[in-house]
Amino acid sequence: MPDGTVIRPYGDTTGDGMVQLSFTLPVAPGPRAEGAALQLAQKMGLDPAMVVHSHGIGGGGGTAGDGAAFTFFVVYGSVRHLVDLDAVHVEERAYPLLSPAEVNGAIRSGLRRKLVVLGACIGTDAHTVGIDAILNLKGFAGDKGLEYYRELSVANLGAQVSVPELVARARAERADAVLVSQVVTQRDAHLRNTRELAAAFREAMGESRPLLVVGGPRFDPAMAGELGVDKVFGRGTTPGEVASYLVSTLVPAGAAP
């Protein structure tokens, strides 16, 4: 391992290559299902592999012969693959992480008015945990939400907001930024909804549209340009990161600390 840049997974001992993965197969529980799971694991490069847990889902429930049509597996095994850390490319935060006082001070001196933020879950997505964690006062993991910031005017529109409704509200409120959370990802619904959002704002408001920020556990932060939005946040994003980004992007240069 030159300079520690080439690594292998760690399980029981350093560099042993042990990994754990889970998946579901459309087959009833039993020896045949476990054999299928092992075959799949071996084709994925786990050798040796072992099924450490399995149970039936769907149908009747949990044991062989009860009518369950699917089986969930947890498989443990060793892989030979290596990871070259020098070949890993991720999007690094390109702006300073500011405290609430610094955010408020930058907005007060740079905009001389409150920065207006709207947040919502769009389409049929009713999972508000993400948007609430960013916007609501209590925030996330001890980090206060955007409602805590005195120089931010925040409106949380909640769940299942249609894109036309969000565009109309953003125009009426003269929003500086629109934050959208997407948790439902079946058939790439989060990507489709985001593209619809970007297209609707572009058509309705052109270059005068607000900053468009989307986030959710299945988003790739590098996809912002492809999706037509300004910023994509992934899993684990804190309110402070979002507030710092808004200041870095919307407050005139030199106003931020």
Side-chain angles (χ1 to χ4, degrees):
M1 297 185 184
D3 301 322
T5 61
V6 178
I7 60 174
R8 294 186 69 192
Y10 170 91
D12 301 313
T13 59
T14 302
D16 62 9
M18 299 300 289
V19 300
Q20 179 175 292
L21 63 98
S22 61
F23 53 86
T24 300
L25 292 178
V27 59
R32 186 164 179 259
E34 294 204 4
L38 288 175
Q39 182 185 123
L40 176 62
Q42 289 165 356
K43 288 183 176 181
M44 295 173 71
L46 275 69
D47 185 22
M50 67 185 84
V51 174
V52 296
H53 174 76
S54 68
H55 70 266
I57 58 177
T63 60
D66 65 4
F70 299 85
T71 306
F72 172 80
F73 298 95
V74 176
V75 175
Y76 191 58
S78 178
V79 297
R80 299 179 180 273
H81 309 298
L82 302 176
V83 175
D84 182 357
L85 294 179
D86 289 338
V88 175
H89 303 288
V90 296
E91 184 171 295
E92 301 285 353
R93 177 163 48 83
Y95 51 89
L97 190 60
L98 306 177
S99 69
E102 290 171 327
V103 168
N104 288 329
I107 295 172
R108 190 164 48 245
S109 61
L111 292 184
R112 301 183 183 278
R113 62 172 176 81
K114 289 193 174 184
L115 192 152
V116 181
V117 179
L118 298 184
C121 297
I122 59 174
T124 59
D125 201 326
H127 299 75
T128 62
V129 173
I131 197 68
D132 289 344
I134 298 299
L135 298 183
N136 288 2
L137 182 62
K138 72 176 182 180
F140 169 70
D143 195 345
K144 296 289 188 182
L146 300 193
E147 291 178 350
Y148 174 76
Y149 294 74
R150 293 184 177 181
E151 299 303 321
L152 293 178
S153 175
V154 178
N156 187 346
L157 306 185
Q160 297 181 323
V161 177
S162 72
V163 170
E165 179 184 353
L166 185 56
V167 171
R169 184 70 179 270
R171 175 177 280 164
E173 299 281 347
R174 295 185 178 181
D176 295 294
V178 171
L179 312 184
V180 168
S181 173
Q182 291 282 267
V183 175
V184 175
T185 60
Q186 283 86 347
R187 299 183 180 180
D188 286 338
H190 60 309
L191 303 181
R192 183 175 63 254
N193 289 343
T194 300
R195 291 189 177 99
E196 179 187 349
L197 172 81
F201 269 98
R202 185 169 58 249
E203 180 179 351
M205 304 178 72
E207 294 185 359
S208 64
R209 69 164 175 79
L211 196 72
L212 297 180
V213 180
V214 299
R218 291 283 301 277
F219 278 108
D220 179 353
M223 294 183 68
E226 176 185 339
L227 295 174
V229 298
D230 298 291
K231 182 68 174 176
V232 171
F233 284 108
R235 183 178 64 254
T237 299
T238 65
E241 290 179 273
V242 176
S244 299
Y245 170 72
L246 296 181
V247 165
S248 73
T249 308
L250 296 173
V251 174

